Amino acid sequence: GAVVSQHPSRVICKSGTSVKIECRSLDFQATTMFWYRQFPKQSLMLMATSNEGSKATYEQGVEKDKFLINHASLTLSTLTVTSAHPEDSSFYICSARVRQGEPSGGFSYEQYFGPGTRLTVT
Amino acid sequence: AQSVTQLDSQVPVFEEAPVELRCNYSSSVSVYLFWYVQYPNQGLQLLLKYLSGSTLVKGINGFEAEFNKSQTSFHLRKPSVHISDTAEYFCAVTPYTDKLIFGTGTRLQVFP
């Protein structure tokens, strides 16, 4: 099956520093990856759509200058949290989109999720 | 716009009992429907999905869900739960744009 990895799984950083999170599709290529943020005991909120070779598309309310996304290859997208503050502490999850053929003859998209990265800003 | 409502934030149940996790959605267009499971400090794993065809969908780990268009529901069921089913369950929809819209999640707690 399609496997997505994230690195690091946990990171603690000081306020004001930047942190980079990597999302890799291990056994497939993904032109599109997604970045989500999840607060404790809450749902996943889509932050941005990362497209290989082009600029990311950010959801309303997400600061693109704070959350830098780079999708330089078909298997790697990175999220950099710049000048992190304690309120940026959260669980960040990425997913990679795969297009799949369906028995009906059509196709659908499915997202495979990484294991998440726990960011703690002190 | 689409939205997903999971009415139950927590569902406690004893082992080997049946369980139903409720999911209702709102959309002006046809959607694909999904159920995901999240174990502590992990990402999401797909349990099952409805794209078209039979309204009863069977997934992994003995779970199934039924799509009800008239009631705009996609409830998840399992006839007999295990301790290992304790996790957070998310219902999600996508209106073919492949942006997933998640519900707020239901915490299934299975007791021995």
Side-chain angles (χ1 to χ4, degrees), chain A residues 71-96:
Chain A
H71 194 155
S73 78
L74 288 172
T75 59
L76 173 65
S77 175
T78 60
L79 169 67
T80 301
V81 183
T82 62
S83 186
H85 289 100
E87 57 265 31
D88 298 324
S89 297
S90 191
F91 194 53
Y92 293 87
I93 303 176
C94 73
S95 71

Side-chain angles (χ1 to χ4, degrees), chain B residues 32-44:
Chain B
Y32 294 152
L33 296 149
F34 304 81
W35 273 101
Y36 289 88
V37 59
Q38 184 181 34
Y39 297 101
N41 296 310
Q42 294 187 29
L44 274 67

Side-chain angles (χ1 to χ4, degrees), chain B residues 5-51:
Chain B
T5 302
Q6 291 182 248
L7 291 171
D8 307 303
S9 59
Q10 296 187 63
V11 173
V13 64
F14 286 107
E15 194 172 21
E16 297 184 6
V19 71
E20 178 180 83
L21 306 183
R22 297 181 292 170
C23 172
N24 288 86
Y25 70 94
S26 173
S27 177
S28 58
V29 299
S30 297
V31 294
Y32 294 152
L33 296 149
F34 304 81
W35 273 101
Y36 289 88
V37 59
Q38 184 181 34
Y39 297 101
N41 296 310
Q42 294 187 29
L44 274 67
Q45 181 182 6
L46 180 67
L47 279 177
L48 49 79
K49 61 183 177 183
Y50 173 78
L51 305 180

Side-chain angles (χ1 to χ4, degrees), chain A residues 21-74:
Chain A
I21 302 171
E22 294 184 347
C23 177
R24 293 182 185 272
S25 55
L26 297 186
D27 49 0
F28 65 101
Q29 295 181 332
T31 55
T32 301
M33 293 184 175
F34 299 91
W35 286 97
Y36 296 85
R37 183 173 181 177
Q38 186 180 31
F39 290 102
K41 300 187 186 303
Q42 294 188 30
S43 189
L44 281 74
M45 299 301 295
L46 179 64
M47 298 175 66
T49 302
S50 171
N51 298 297
E52 186 269 336
S54 64
K55 291 184 178 180
T57 303
Y58 291 82
E59 295 300 300
Q60 191 172 6
V62 178
E63 298 176 62
K64 61 181 180 181
D65 294 330
K66 181 167 186 62
F67 298 100
L68 300 179
I69 292 172
N70 185 286
H71 194 155
S73 78
L74 288 172

Side-chain angles (χ1 to χ4, degrees), chain B:
Chain B
Q2 290 74 38
S3 66
V4 179
T5 302
Q6 291 182 248
L7 291 171
D8 307 303
S9 59
Q10 296 187 63
V11 173
V13 64
F14 286 107
E15 194 172 21
E16 297 184 6
V19 71
E20 178 180 83
L21 306 183
R22 297 181 292 170
C23 172
N24 288 86
Y25 70 94
S26 173
S27 177
S28 58
V29 299
S30 297
V31 294
Y32 294 152
L33 296 149
F34 304 81
W35 273 101
Y36 289 88
V37 59
Q38 184 181 34
Y39 297 101
N41 296 310
Q42 294 187 29
L44 274 67
Q45 181 182 6
L46 180 67
L47 279 177
L48 49 79
K49 61 183 177 183
Y50 173 78
L51 305 180
S52 64
S54 173
T55 57
L56 182 62
V57 181
K58 293 189 182 297
I60 63 171
N61 300 342
F63 284 94
E64 64 180 32
E66 184 155 18
F67 170 58
N68 188 317
K69 188 174 182 179
S70 62
Q71 297 185 5
T72 60
S73 67
F74 191 54
H75 301 332
L76 181 70
R77 302 188 186 98
K78 186 169 182 177
S80 176
V81 295
H82 300 138
I83 295 286
S84 59
D85 292 324
T86 294
E88 191 83 19
Y89 291 79
F90 291 97
C91 182
V93 303
T94 179
Y96 303 159
T97 63
D98 78 329
K99 281 188 181 181
L100 282 170
I101 300 161
F102 287 90
T104 51
T106 297
R107 170 75 176 169
L108 175 63
Q109 180 74 53
V110 182
F111 295 95

